Amino acid sequence: MKFLHSADWHIGRTLNGYSLLDEQKHAFKEMLQIAIDQQVDAVVIAGDIYDRAIPSTNAVTTLDSMLQEINLEHSLPIYAISGNHDGAKRLNFANEWMEKSDFHLTTLLDEAFSPVETPEVQIFMLPFFDPMDARVYYQEQGLDADQVKNIHTITDAMNLVLPDMEKLFDPNKKHVLISHFAVSPSADQEIELTSETTSKVGGLATLTAQQFEKFDYVMLGHIHTRNASPAENVRYAGSPVKFNVKEAKMANQGKGVDIVEVTSDKIERTFFEIQPKTDLVVLEENWDTLLDPTFYKTQPIDQAWFAITVKDFDRSKHINVRAKLQEIYGTVVELDYENVKREDRPDVAQQNLSELSPDNIVDQFFKTITGNDLTKDQKELVDGIFVDLRKED
């Protein structure tokens, strides 16, 4: 069976207020053409389909058009899961009737234990979830109350979830997993990260490749570079578009998708690069160089957006700096100066709440107000409240 492995579409993403929708549409067209040319059996979207839990109308209509083109116009099956940016329950709408056209969408933990069966492969689809989801699920499954209370980290949860999946393995088939987490090569090795995440995922520690060793192949989403893949059989596709300056600096890595062919005796993977419609170019030069025609005429001004850091710059001697640069370079999506530390800026220093689990948000808020951590009893009370809220959902 041949898959196109993609992830992290982030439909609706913006870059410092500039819409990336046209760039995402272009990347999609290239991706679809690769799928057609390579005669794949299915397209995988390993999470973060949208950029936010409540996407804009333009994002919804764009994604709807893309999915219809894959699934209805070209009759290609889709295997998709929700990521940490997606609204899992919103995205879950109508997934039962979508399966009738071979559009398989998994957004909830309890759905992950029903693999899609093909003659050669079992396809397990594990969406992003946090330990609270696992506590609710296993409490409803009748797991001992003390064991449920011991699910605090994503590792605790995975130590239950993955063995339960493995119990469903058909020994006569290959076993493929689609998931959306940060996975390290081992417990003492960090993965190469982009600004998509920190060393924590959803406020939770990363997983290790060894935890997935029973699967023949794992297609991951969440980290935006394929070079972060922790093992030969545990792979990130990376995002199809450069979403920020840090990703643009990784120019040698390229953006694209993997074609993964799974047969009874081997698994082969081939990377196909996606060429951007409008590239994101990072320039770090002094002011005189940036204004020098012999320099800027070598830049792809008509085909790119620019993120510019001005080095050795005395702002007191110049006004309308952005306007001057935009006269030359066109769209300047980010302007910085060498003597300004990004980490000192309050708008960057603030932690992204979407990357924290609910109980961690309460814990951090409590510590901000009181200066103290929650006690063990207080943490158990908070955990119990969130479990009850999840049940009511």
Side-chain angles (χ1 to χ4, degrees), residues 136-160:
V136 171
Y137 171 76
Y138 280 106
Q139 189 175 78
E140 292 175 346
Q141 298 304 306
L143 189 68
D144 179 82
D146 288 335
Q147 289 179 281
V148 171
K149 285 185 179 180
N150 286 331
I151 304 174
H152 297 293
T153 68
I154 195 62
T155 297
D156 296 335
M158 282 295 191
N159 287 340
L160 294 171

Side-chain angles (χ1 to χ4, degrees), residues 21 35 53 73 123 134 182-183 196 204 211 239 253 259 295 320 322 332 334 336 343 349 351 376 387-388:
L21 210 53
E73 293 183 32
I123 304 163
V183 182
E196 162 62 13
L204 312 166
Q211 292 173 270
S239 59
Q253 296 184 7
I259 299 297
F295 173 78
N320 299 327
R322 178 181 287 272
V332 178
E334 184 168 311
D336 211 339
E343 59 267 24
Q351 191 163 8
K376 180 180 178 182
V387 167
D388 289 341

Side-chain angles (χ1 to χ4, degrees), residues 32 75 155 201 293 360:
L32 180 58
S75 300
T155 297
V201 181
N360 277 336

